[in-house]
Amino acid sequence: MARLFGTDGVRGVANADLTAELALALASAAVEEVADRGTPPPGPVDGVPVARSAHGTDHRPLVVVGRDTRPSGEFLEAAVVAGLARAGADVTRIGVVPTPAVSYAVAATGADLGVMLSASHNPMPDNGIKLFAAGGLKLPDDVEDAIERRMAGPAARRPVAAAVGRVRDDSTLVDGYVDHLLATLPGGPGGLRGLRIVVDCAQGAASDLAPRVLRAAGADVIALHADGDGLRINDRSGATHLDSLRDAVVAHGADAGIAHDGDADRCLAVDSAGEIVDGDQILALCALALAERGELERGTVVVTVMSNLGFHHAMRDAGIDVVTTPVGDRYVLEAMRSGAYSLGGEQSGHVVFLRHAGTGDGLLTALQILGRMAETSQPLHELAKAMTRLPQVLVNVRGVDRARAETSDELRAAVADAEAELAGAGRVLLRPSGTEPLVRVMVEAPTDELARDVAGRLADVVQRALR
């Protein structure tokens, strides 16, 4: 049986791959696994205070559940809640919220588990289930594997009478999340006064909260794709489709544009001229800001293998060390926690500020970018000069057997030839996607023309070798 969990939870086409039956079984198995492992004592986790005090070996598990705007989230939430309650867990639903709000609420309540129903940047037919452990951290691989084994084993336990879980709604946790975000703003509340910002909410989970947070911070806000229409989530909008945001920033004479994905754990930006500021540039400007304030722990930032070589050069020149991990914000977070680092992230716009959050948070990232603009009185295009991007080309090769990507001798030879051709002036990365049925080919080179040529040839080899 193929592994159920990918790099960011369980994903699939809702009601086809990801069914109510699967969601119910997964929820029950997760509660049983967490309960059998025991619950750590309460205490602050990465700067987020843990409020609940009813911990001990005999306490009832508490689970926080949120979802994005996808229509399928309604029936999947019902199935997840049923699975949790039937396993004896009490459930707190917090409604349509960004994924980081669930992480925050888990830590703030001292819950044992968090569940977010979202497929992040994927199109609307897809949905997903993300699980958070106590403290608001994503589950380690070994716990996910244990949950899968439980699902394949004997039927879940069935408590009865008063032992079944109870379900309630609590919107105050969302208000607490908003207050937590605003408290991180450089310059304090109202620190964004004088800035006009366009925010693209991708018709997703941040459709209400992103404009609300930015307005509370003092910005003049134009909200884009913010109807919360889950049928159009990520549809030519948000962090994966920046054209409409670029146009809107220029048309409104805005100082900057902010783009989130469907569950708002990502943030990309656009400067006043409509030029894109990607995750590497955001990390670079934030790393320099934290270093200036003495808040960049151990003078180090954590990134993935996808980060541009230009980022590495900029950090070297600034005297900042770089730790590199596999792709996936969970791996970035693991490295950050094990090394006691304060900043990490991905080129895609997942950025983790470990002093303030236990996961990537798009709204938090937006506040740090805009707050830096306000405190330095510099436009975003100047701040983005913290690094110079090397031309980078990414090709997604679909319709191939991604499982053989790392074992094909033909691909290994093709990559070796490409690296020899670049002769140290660029690099090649070929990897199967952890969330989509495709293989990614990434090439960096001194010129865009050379990067495209090498990437195109490698993509052809992938298509031929993995048919």
Side-chain angles (χ1 to χ4, degrees):
M1 172 176 151
R3 192 172 191 270
L4 181 64
F5 287 90
T7 56
D8 197 16
V10 178
R11 290 190 191 177
V13 177
N15 217 28
D17 308 314
L18 184 56
T19 63
E21 292 83 359
L22 174 60
L24 188 147
L26 176 61
S28 292
V31 166
E32 290 188 356
E33 183 63 27
V34 168
D36 285 353
R37 284 173 178 257
T39 304
V45 178
D46 299 324
V48 179
V50 174
R52 188 167 175 253
S53 60
H55 284 264
T57 57
D58 60 350
H59 84 281
R60 293 160 64 97
L62 174 63
V63 185
V64 176
V65 178
R67 63 180 177 88
D68 70 18
T69 56
R70 296 166 208 263
S72 59
E74 297 168 3
F75 83 79
L76 288 172
E77 179 187 57
V80 164
V81 169
L84 297 170
R86 81 167 183 176
D90 291 334
V91 181
T92 299
R93 294 183 301 202
I94 60 174
V96 174
V97 293
T99 289
V102 172
S103 172
Y104 167 84
V106 170
T109 60
D112 304 279
L113 189 68
V115 182
M116 177 66 185
L117 294 155
S118 176
S120 193
H121 63 284
N122 284 25
M124 186 277 292
D126 292 350
N127 213 325
I129 301 175
K130 301 183 183 186
L131 300 179
F132 291 92
L137 306 173
K138 289 187 177 180
L139 291 183
D141 289 346
D142 67 308
V143 179
E144 291 180 344
D145 291 340
I147 291 171
E148 288 194 33
R149 288 193 295 272
R150 282 183 183 269
M151 293 175 67
R157 295 191 288 265
R158 296 288 194 276
V160 296
V164 300
R166 304 297 299 272
V167 182
R168 70 186 185 99
D169 298 316
D170 188 353
S171 61
T172 64
L173 290 171
V174 181
D175 297 333
Y177 171 63
V178 171
D179 292 341
H180 169 69
L181 290 174
L182 293 172
T184 72
L185 182 64
L192 302 187
R193 288 192 184 94
L195 291 180
R196 171 172 284 189
I197 306 301
V198 180
V199 59
D200 184 343
C201 302
Q203 301 293 3
S207 294
D208 174 67
L209 282 187
R212 172 182 166 186
V213 167
L214 293 176
R215 287 177 180 132
D220 175 16
V221 179
I222 296 99
L224 194 65
H225 305 301
D227 302 322
D229 180 358
L231 291 170
R232 295 186 288 145
I233 192 169
N234 298 316
D235 183 10
R236 291 169 291 178
S237 64
T240 55
H241 303 278
L242 294 168
D243 286 348
S244 61
L245 176 62
R246 298 173 70 184
D247 292 343
V249 166
V250 173
H252 289 281
D255 295 288
I258 295 295
H260 299 300
D261 61 337
D263 70 336
D265 62 354
R266 294 190 188 194
C267 173
L268 293 180
V270 170
D271 69 21
S272 60
E275 294 299 315
I276 295 170
V277 179
D278 72 10
D280 284 337
Q281 293 167 295
I282 291 168
L283 276 167
L285 72 88
C286 289
L288 295 180
L290 291 178
E292 180 183 298
R293 300 179 197 131
E295 296 175 359
L296 187 66
E297 296 295 335
R298 302 183 65 185
T300 299
V301 61
V302 181
V303 297
T304 77
V305 293
M306 292 294 288
S307 280
N308 193 277
L309 271 180
F311 175 85
H312 292 266
H313 294 163
M315 295 299 98
R316 177 198 62 201
D317 294 344
I320 295 173
D321 293 330
V322 178
V323 170
T324 303
T325 76
V327 173
D329 62 338
R330 64 184 300 156
Y331 302 115
V332 170
L333 182 59
E334 286 172 6
M336 292 177 68
R337 288 177 59 79
S338 64
Y341 306 126
S342 54
L343 179 67
E346 299 184 277
Q347 188 184 74
S348 60
H350 288 120
V351 181
V352 181
F353 296 88
L354 202 51
R355 290 187 63 196
H356 305 303
T359 189
D361 189 327
L363 277 66
L364 173 62
T365 302
L367 289 177
Q368 305 316 299
I369 298 167
L370 301 174
R372 185 62 171 170
M373 291 172 60
E375 73 175 348
T376 61
S377 299
Q378 290 189 44
L380 184 54
H381 76 267
E382 286 294 330
L383 295 175
K385 291 179 181 178
M387 65 165 280
T388 300
R389 296 184 73 256
L390 204 66
Q392 184 183 82
V393 173
L394 178 63
V395 179
N396 293 326
V397 186
R398 300 179 183 274
V400 296
D401 182 3
R402 63 176 176 172
R404 294 192 288 119
E406 296 174 341
T407 59
S408 168
D409 291 337
E410 185 177 357
L411 284 189
R412 271 197 292 265
V415 169
D417 290 344
E419 290 175 335
E421 181 179 350
L422 293 172
R427 67 180 180 128
V428 174
L429 179 66
L430 188 151
R431 69 175 189 88
S433 170
T435 57
E436 299 178 76
L438 53 86
V439 172
R440 304 189 194 280
V441 177
M442 188 271 282
V443 176
E444 291 172 344
T447 68
D448 186 66
E449 181 181 14
L450 179 57
R452 290 186 182 281
D453 180 55
V454 174
R457 283 185 273 130
L458 278 175
D460 289 342
V461 176
V462 171
Q463 192 74 56
R464 181 177 66 250
L466 303 183
R467 284 184 301 190

